[in-house]
Amino acid sequence: NKQMKAKKVIQEVIASGDRLTAAIAQIKRGDLDKKKGDMKIALVDGYLRTVILYADVKEVQPEALYNTVKCFEQLQQSSYADKFRKRLLAEFPKDPYTAKLQQGR
């Protein structure tokens, strides 16, 4: 199945890629899980993991933070969503993901 193949490739990239590539792969893994409706797994294995473990990879942080906020909202954990929303707004005020969040998308 296509999803299993994609997950396998993503796992290999995370294991062997440089930090930027691995961080992007983490987000893609989150995207796959979110598409399947597994919000909690998408959050933990994809987005939140990227926010925490790849905090030094600034290029991916806005997308990871945005998706973290969206997952927490869907899981009805608004205090966590607010925490990461504030972080996105404070650290990346001019990023397109920040604008998307401010527009309520």
Side-chain angles (χ1 to χ4, degrees):
N1 126 3
K2 265 168 72 173
Q3 281 229 322
M4 291 304 288
K5 279 184 191 164
K7 271 215 160 174
K8 190 173 190 287
V9 170
I10 287 171
Q11 200 51 50
E12 288 168 9
V13 170
I14 291 167
S16 62
D18 60 75
R19 287 190 61 73
L20 175 58
T21 306
I24 292 168
Q26 288 281 147
I27 291 174
K28 296 303 167 208
R29 178 164 64 187
D31 292 345
L32 281 176
D33 289 324
K34 187 167 80 174
K35 204 178 213 172
K36 282 192 328 197
D38 294 336
M39 281 305 143
K40 215 170 210 160
I41 295 170
L43 176 66
V44 174
D45 285 350
Y47 311 130
L48 193 55
R49 182 177 297 217
T50 305
V51 168
I52 294 166
L53 297 180
Y54 296 90
D56 59 315
V57 185
K58 296 299 180 197
E59 300 92 328
V60 300
Q61 286 298 304
E63 183 178 3
L65 284 163
Y66 173 83
N67 284 308
T68 296
V69 169
K70 290 298 177 185
C71 281
F72 274 129
E73 285 176 350
Q74 289 197 337
L75 294 167
Q76 298 178 337
Q77 296 184 6
S78 58
S79 63
Y80 288 114
D82 289 344
K83 176 184 173 186
F84 289 99
R85 179 182 294 104
K86 284 177 185 154
R87 186 166 158 191
L88 176 58
L89 296 172
E91 292 181 27
F92 304 96
K94 297 193 181 333
D95 192 86
Y97 280 100
T98 305
K100 210 170 157 174
L101 198 64
Q102 289 169 323
Q103 293 160 5
R105 294 188 291 147

